[in-house]
Amino acid sequence: MAALNYASSTRGPAGPLTVLATAARGIAHWILAVRKDALSRQQLLAMNERELDDIGLTRCDIDRIGRHRSPF
């Protein structure tokens, strides 16, 4: 016989501090990801054409790195 888990359904709605903490954590993760993308772009832009070709990228590809994270 399968056991049923009702523990999650007995909890009430998340409090305002929990919601704010979760939102702040999400924003912090987004900021870190954007900074990481910027650092990656800087490092790729410092490479010459041969080095970029070795890893299968072109200068045009560098512009697309991290664009999906931008809110604009």
Side-chain angles (χ1 to χ4, degrees):
M1 179 170 203
L4 299 176
N5 182 5
Y6 292 105
S8 62
S9 64
T10 59
R11 296 173 81 188
L17 291 180
T18 303
V19 172
L20 287 175
T22 302
R25 226 179 347 260
I27 292 169
H29 285 284
W30 175 77
I31 290 171
L32 291 174
V34 169
R35 290 180 68 196
K36 183 178 175 184
D37 289 344
L39 178 61
S40 295
R41 279 192 304 275
Q42 275 183 328
Q43 291 172 340
L44 289 170
L45 287 169
M47 292 181 175
N48 63 34
E49 299 302 321
R50 183 179 177 280
E51 292 170 328
L52 289 172
D53 190 44
D54 284 346
I55 60 173
L57 292 176
T58 64
R59 294 255 173 233
C60 296
D61 296 328
I62 296 171
D63 289 336
R64 285 183 241 143
I65 294 174
R67 274 209 182 149
H68 62 280
R69 292 193 174 118
S70 176
F72 306 106

